[in-house]
Amino acid sequence: RVWAFVAQLGFLVLLVAWWQWAAMSDDVSSLLLPPPGDVLAQLRDVIVSGEFLQDLVVSLRETTIAFAIAVFAGMVSGFIFSRTTYRVRVFDPLLSALYAIPTVLFYPLFLLSFGIGEGSKIAVGTLMAFFPIALNTMAGFASVEKIHLTASQAMGARPFVLLRYVLVPAAAPIIVARSEEHTSELQSLA
């Protein structure tokens, strides 16, 4: 563990040293690559002045709205798509293929549709989160064993009772486990 930390710290020191050397050379403009000292001084000024707080609040609001929309839309569509094996066979590959398309390709379309304000950012965030949530929800509900559904229906369970006491508890572990996998994939990309 100690050696891993030393190696990471050494890499960071080498990276900053290379950054300083590249910034001091005449090959790169200081507008494109300012020295690390200037960047740290500017960062300190921004933090001390607190001017980033308003932008942070806006970003958190946009992220929260986008995630709430994606959770609702993804869970509802995942549930609807999982109700028959035909729908699963149709929509699982379709959603997987759409999920493979880089989200940034849709950004110009969202800019034209929602403008340059927060609407386009919320749309991109919603799209980024929708596909993993819908796919995980579909997999979770599709994995519920038919014997549980048949037994519940034989005992007279109505659709809402079936959803609340059979489907959701049986699907939740798979939805959560697969969501954690997607979260770790997204974190590794960031």
Side-chain angles (χ1 to χ4, degrees):
R1 285 185 163 206
V2 173
W3 289 111
F5 176 74
V6 169
Q8 291 170 348
L9 188 61
F11 177 76
L12 186 61
V13 168
L14 285 174
L15 184 66
V16 172
W18 175 83
W19 178 8
Q20 179 67 37
W21 173 80
M24 290 176 55
S25 73
D26 293 333
D27 296 336
V28 180
S29 169
S30 63
L31 290 174
L32 296 176
L33 188 64
D38 293 353
V39 172
L40 287 175
Q42 185 66 34
L43 177 63
R44 186 190 70 237
D45 292 345
V46 167
I47 290 174
V48 168
S49 71
E51 63 185 81
F52 72 96
L53 289 175
Q54 184 178 359
D55 297 331
L56 179 66
V57 168
V58 169
S59 294
L60 289 174
R61 183 180 70 239
E62 291 168 349
T63 302
T64 303
I65 292 169
F67 187 69
I69 293 169
V71 165
F72 179 76
M75 295 201 75
V76 168
S77 61
F79 174 72
I80 291 170
F81 297 157
S82 70
R83 296 317 327 133
T84 66
T85 55
Y86 174 75
R87 288 184 194 161
V88 171
R89 283 185 301 188
V90 168
F91 287 106
D92 187 43
L94 181 64
L95 290 177
S96 296
L98 289 173
Y99 181 48
I101 299 172
T103 308
V104 72
L105 294 178
F106 293 102
Y107 194 63
L109 180 65
F110 291 147
L111 279 175
L112 290 173
S113 300
F114 301 110
I116 202 162
E118 70 179 20
S120 59
K121 296 171 198 147
I122 290 172
V124 168
T126 300
L127 187 66
M128 288 177 72
F130 169 78
F131 290 111
I133 293 170
L135 288 167
N136 295 338
T137 303
M138 190 172 11
F141 282 119
S143 69
V144 176
E145 294 186 30
K146 301 296 179 203
I147 189 75
H148 295 232
L149 298 174
T150 306
S152 301
Q153 290 169 339
M155 290 188 266
R158 298 188 187 276
F160 179 75
V161 172
L162 190 67
L163 177 68
R164 186 172 191 285
Y165 292 105
V166 178
L167 289 169
V168 171
I174 293 171
I175 295 170
V176 171
R178 289 189 55 168
S179 295
E180 288 175 356
E181 290 174 15
H182 281 287
T183 302
S184 64
E185 288 173 13
L186 290 174
Q187 287 173 346
S188 69
L189 294 175

Short mmCIF file of all heavy atoms in Angstrom, two decimals, residues 19 22-36 38-39:
data_model
loop_
_atom_site.label_atom_id
_atom_site.label_comp_id
_atom_site.label_asym_id
_atom_site.label_seq_id
_atom_site.Cartn_x
_atom_site.Cartn_y
_atom_site.Cartn_z
N TRP A 19 4.21 19.58 -16.76
CA TRP A 19 3.30 20.70 -17.02
C TRP A 19 4.06 22.03 -16.93
O TRP A 19 3.94 22.88 -17.79
CB TRP A 19 2.15 20.63 -16.04
CG TRP A 19 1.11 21.70 -16.11
CD1 TRP A 19 0.98 22.69 -17.06
CD2 TRP A 19 0.05 21.90 -15.20
NE1 TRP A 19 -0.09 23.48 -16.78
CE2 TRP A 19 -0.69 23.03 -15.64
CE3 TRP A 19 -0.37 21.25 -14.05
CZ2 TRP A 19 -1.80 23.50 -14.97
CZ3 TRP A 19 -1.48 21.73 -13.38
CH2 TRP A 19 -2.18 22.84 -13.84
N ALA A 22 6.49 22.32 -19.88
CA ALA A 22 5.78 22.62 -21.12
C ALA A 22 5.25 24.05 -21.14
O ALA A 22 5.27 24.72 -22.17
CB ALA A 22 4.64 21.63 -21.33
N ALA A 23 4.81 24.55 -19.98
CA ALA A 23 4.28 25.92 -19.90
C ALA A 23 5.40 26.95 -20.07
O ALA A 23 5.17 28.03 -20.62
CB ALA A 23 3.56 26.12 -18.58
N MET A 24 6.59 26.62 -19.63
CA MET A 24 7.71 27.55 -19.73
C MET A 24 8.34 27.55 -21.12
O MET A 24 9.00 28.52 -21.51
CB MET A 24 8.77 27.22 -18.68
CG MET A 24 8.32 27.53 -17.27
SD MET A 24 9.50 27.03 -16.00
CE MET A 24 10.98 27.85 -16.52
N SER A 25 8.15 26.48 -21.88
CA SER A 25 8.75 26.42 -23.22
C SER A 25 8.02 27.39 -24.15
O SER A 25 6.88 27.77 -23.92
CB SER A 25 8.69 25.00 -23.76
OG SER A 25 7.37 24.68 -24.12
N ASP A 26 8.69 27.77 -25.19
CA ASP A 26 8.10 28.70 -26.15
C ASP A 26 7.22 28.00 -27.17
O ASP A 26 6.61 28.65 -28.01
CB ASP A 26 9.22 29.47 -26.88
CG ASP A 26 9.97 30.40 -25.94
OD1 ASP A 26 9.36 30.83 -24.95
OD2 ASP A 26 11.15 30.70 -26.21
N ASP A 27 7.14 26.68 -27.10
CA ASP A 27 6.36 25.92 -28.07
C ASP A 27 4.86 26.03 -27.84
O ASP A 27 4.07 25.89 -28.77
CB ASP A 27 6.76 24.44 -28.03
CG ASP A 27 8.20 24.24 -28.44
OD1 ASP A 27 8.74 25.09 -29.17
OD2 ASP A 27 8.80 23.22 -28.02
N VAL A 28 4.45 26.27 -26.59
CA VAL A 28 3.04 26.30 -26.23
C VAL A 28 2.69 27.67 -25.67
O VAL A 28 3.39 28.20 -24.80
CB VAL A 28 2.71 25.20 -25.19
CG1 VAL A 28 1.24 25.23 -24.83
CG2 VAL A 28 3.10 23.83 -25.72
N SER A 29 1.59 28.22 -26.14
CA SER A 29 1.13 29.52 -25.66
C SER A 29 0.67 29.42 -24.21
O SER A 29 0.04 28.43 -23.81
CB SER A 29 -0.02 30.02 -26.54
OG SER A 29 -0.65 31.14 -25.95
N SER A 30 0.96 30.47 -23.42
CA SER A 30 0.52 30.46 -22.02
C SER A 30 -0.99 30.58 -21.90
O SER A 30 -1.56 30.29 -20.85
CB SER A 30 1.21 31.58 -21.24
OG SER A 30 0.82 32.84 -21.78
N LEU A 31 -1.65 31.00 -22.98
CA LEU A 31 -3.12 31.02 -22.97
C LEU A 31 -3.69 29.61 -23.02
O LEU A 31 -4.72 29.32 -22.43
CB LEU A 31 -3.65 31.82 -24.15
CG LEU A 31 -3.43 33.33 -24.10
CD1 LEU A 31 -3.88 33.97 -25.39
CD2 LEU A 31 -4.17 33.94 -22.92
N LEU A 32 -2.99 28.73 -23.73
CA LEU A 32 -3.45 27.34 -23.84
C LEU A 32 -3.00 26.48 -22.67
O LEU A 32 -3.71 25.57 -22.26
CB LEU A 32 -2.94 26.72 -25.14
CG LEU A 32 -3.47 27.35 -26.43
CD1 LEU A 32 -2.81 26.71 -27.64
CD2 LEU A 32 -4.97 27.22 -26.51
N LEU A 33 -1.81 26.76 -22.15
CA LEU A 33 -1.26 25.96 -21.06
C LEU A 33 -0.56 26.88 -20.07
O LEU A 33 0.65 27.07 -20.12
CB LEU A 33 -0.29 24.91 -21.60
CG LEU A 33 0.22 23.87 -20.61
CD1 LEU A 33 -0.93 23.01 -20.11
CD2 LEU A 33 1.29 23.01 -21.22
N PRO A 34 -1.32 27.47 -19.14
CA PRO A 34 -0.70 28.34 -18.14
C PRO A 34 0.11 27.51 -17.14
O PRO A 34 -0.18 26.33 -16.93
CB PRO A 34 -1.88 29.03 -17.46
CG PRO A 34 -3.04 28.14 -17.70
CD PRO A 34 -2.77 27.42 -18.99
N PRO A 35 1.10 28.11 -16.51
CA PRO A 35 1.90 27.39 -15.52
C PRO A 35 1.05 26.96 -14.33
O PRO A 35 0.05 27.61 -13.99
CB PRO A 35 2.95 28.41 -15.08
CG PRO A 35 2.95 29.47 -16.12
CD PRO A 35 1.61 29.46 -16.75
N PRO A 36 1.43 25.85 -13.67
CA PRO A 36 0.64 25.35 -12.54
C PRO A 36 0.51 26.37 -11.41
O PRO A 36 -0.54 26.45 -10.77
CB PRO A 36 1.41 24.12 -12.06
CG PRO A 36 2.45 23.84 -13.06
CD PRO A 36 2.55 24.99 -13.98
N ASP A 38 0.25 29.64 -11.66
CA ASP A 38 -0.81 30.59 -12.01
C ASP A 38 -2.20 29.97 -11.84
O ASP A 38 -3.14 30.62 -11.39
CB ASP A 38 -0.64 31.04 -13.47
CG ASP A 38 0.61 31.86 -13.68
OD1 ASP A 38 1.29 32.20 -12.68
OD2 ASP A 38 0.93 32.16 -14.86
N VAL A 39 -2.32 28.69 -12.20
CA VAL A 39 -3.60 28.00 -12.07
C VAL A 39 -3.98 27.88 -10.59
O VAL A 39 -5.12 28.13 -10.20
CB VAL A 39 -3.54 26.61 -12.74
CG1 VAL A 39 -4.79 25.81 -12.43
CG2 VAL A 39 -3.36 26.75 -14.24
#
